[in-house]
Amino acid sequence: MTTRETPDPGVPREEARRLLEAVPDERVSAALAALRQLADAPPDAEPPRRQFRTVGVFDGEHDLGRRAKEVARRELGSGSSKSA
């Protein structure tokens, strides 16, 4: 029979401090913003979502998705027409 010990709450905090010290100076403000967001949130709140900013422009065939599946089936030799 094994028992689980309660993890030392100071260990993650020490690791967080160590990691913060390893953050390059030009990225400290981003780390600080993330920490503020976590510190200000109520304990039962969902973790904040990461924000990815992307811009994409695509100029292709009208039904490229269907055609890509057909090409994949033909090249891979799959007999099923349900998925690629």
Side-chain angles (χ1 to χ4, degrees):
M1 184 167 154
T2 62
T3 60
R4 291 186 135 187
E5 293 183 28
T6 305
D8 181 5
V11 173
R13 191 169 293 274
E14 286 303 317
E15 183 180 7
R17 285 186 182 109
R18 181 184 57 77
L19 290 171
L20 183 58
E21 288 298 322
V23 173
D25 289 342
E26 60 272 5
R27 299 191 67 198
V28 169
S29 61
L32 182 59
L35 285 171
R36 281 186 180 134
Q37 207 173 22
L38 289 170
D40 293 342
D44 58 345
E46 288 186 29
R49 292 178 171 229
R50 290 186 175 184
Q51 295 178 353
F52 294 101
R53 291 182 174 92
T54 60
V55 174
V57 176
F58 181 75
D59 185 21
E61 298 175 27
H62 172 67
D63 200 7
L64 186 60
R66 179 179 293 171
R67 188 173 172 297
K69 285 185 178 184
E70 290 171 0
V71 170
R73 283 189 201 105
R74 186 175 60 242
E75 295 298 319
L76 298 174
S78 172
S80 172
S81 63
K82 292 185 179 180
S83 65

